[in-house]
Amino acid sequence: MSLRAAVLGHPIGHSKSPALHLAAYARLGVEIGYTAIDVTEEALPAFMDSVRAEPDWRGLSVTMPLKKAMVAEVDEVRGVGRVLGVINTVAFEGDGESVRRIGYNTDVTGIVNALRNAGAADNPSGVILGGGGTAAAAVAALQELGAVSVDVYVRNTARAAEARAAAAGLGMDISVHTLDGAVVAMAAAGVVISTLPPRAADGMAAELEALGRRTDGVLLDVAYDPWPSKIAAAWHSGGGTVVPGLEMLLYQAVEQVRYFTRLPDAASAEVIDVMCDAVGAPRRVS
């Protein structure tokens, strides 16, 4: 029986997840097909009902706007995803009638490893742009790096519920602000994580350049297309380190491959290297 996995979201045509996963499965010699499926939040319950009737599924990667809605569609949520109330991974455990759908959040690991690979310091002062599901994972990632508080900047402070809930669940201090003061705060931060959609930070890039201050920290822009983004280019011009969202995507996918294949060596250096090759990312330095 051919096994199946997929990435779900809306829109989803731009996703690089199929390239990452298929490269890993080929290197591991595992026969798992992996596709991108466009699913809206409204259509998610019906889609998951159809998945429950098919015995060949091993896993689902979940992207926007489904990360919060998927929590209601799984049998159990484990790890930090339970605290955040946001998941990006569904692993199918067991076989036949005993299959259970387990939710995880591998975005946190993806962010942490991407930042550490770029040399981010421990105990950083952290700024997050955006307040949704990925921002919730960013809050948890900053805590894992040793931060004790975080400043979140959003267009509308009423729309930072997921970031606030994450901080509350993790026992982390959070301050939520409008985007008006974000650029000055960014320039002084040790780590900045932008969870804004592509091009949404373009205006802030011009403000950052006009500010004329050095950017000594690390910026992770989770929007990897187009790349470099204007905010990433402005940050680099100020002397800061830039981490493309592709790095986060890579590391969260590594964890998903481990869950979907059920192989303990699925996250080996050789597997990560072929995943890097598949999306044009530099191989890791051993």
Side-chain angles (χ1 to χ4, degrees):
M1 179 177 64
S2 177
L3 300 174
R4 301 172 65 187
V7 57
L8 312 181
H10 178 76
I12 200 62
H14 66 287
S15 177
K16 295 185 183 294
S17 291
L20 287 166
H21 280 258
L22 291 172
Y25 301 146
R27 179 66 179 81
L28 290 164
V30 176
E31 293 187 5
I32 299 179
Y34 189 102
T35 57
I37 303 176
D38 195 298
V39 179
T40 64
E41 189 171 351
E42 294 74 19
L44 182 62
F47 177 83
M48 292 302 292
D49 284 344
S50 70
V51 165
R52 289 184 179 90
E54 299 168 352
D56 52 349
W57 284 95
R58 274 296 184 89
L60 297 169
S61 307
V62 184
T63 189
M64 298 303 292
L66 308 177
K67 293 182 179 183
K68 187 173 182 65
M70 184 61 86
V71 171
E73 303 298 330
V74 298
D75 300 309
E76 179 185 352
V77 178
R78 294 180 185 163
V80 70
R82 187 170 57 249
V83 178
L84 301 181
V86 178
I87 59 176
N88 74 315
T89 303
V90 180
F92 291 68
E93 294 188 1
D95 296 291
E97 295 297 323
S98 63
V99 171
R100 301 185 75 243
R101 285 147 290 274
I102 311 299
Y104 298 93
N105 190 309
T106 68
D107 279 340
V108 177
T109 298
I111 293 169
V112 169
N113 287 342
L115 289 170
R116 283 183 171 154
N117 188 62
D122 290 335
N123 310 314
S125 55
V127 165
I128 298 172
L129 306 181
T134 306
V139 170
L142 284 170
Q143 185 181 64
E144 190 166 330
L145 288 170
V148 296
S149 63
V150 62
D151 286 289
V152 175
Y153 290 82
V154 290
R155 293 190 186 283
N156 182 347
T157 56
R159 300 188 65 181
E162 288 166 84
R164 290 184 191 273
L170 295 164
M172 191 173 185
D173 290 335
I174 185 173
S175 297
V176 179
H177 318 267
T178 64
L179 286 176
D180 295 340
V183 171
V184 172
M186 288 170 61
V191 170
V192 178
I193 304 170
S194 174
T195 69
L196 298 174
R199 301 181 178 86
D202 286 0
M204 298 170 66
E207 289 183 50
L208 186 61
E209 290 174 339
L211 189 64
R213 289 176 55 179
R214 279 193 57 82
T215 51
D216 294 322
V218 178
L219 166 70
L220 167 61
D221 186 353
V222 304
Y224 55 83
D225 185 22
W227 190 261
S229 62
K230 289 186 178 181
I231 192 67
W235 190 265
H236 183 262
S237 294
T241 300
V242 173
V243 185
L246 194 58
E247 292 285 304
M248 171 190 167
L249 185 71
L250 165 71
Y251 283 116
Q252 62 84 30
V254 167
E255 290 298 295
Q256 291 179 340
V257 167
R258 186 166 60 84
Y259 286 128
F260 297 174
T261 62
R262 307 175 187 174
L263 296 175
D265 62 345
S268 69
E270 292 81 6
V271 172
I272 293 174
D273 278 346
V274 298
M275 293 173 76
C276 288
D277 293 346
V279 294
R283 288 192 169 197
R284 308 298 94 165
V285 177
S286 59

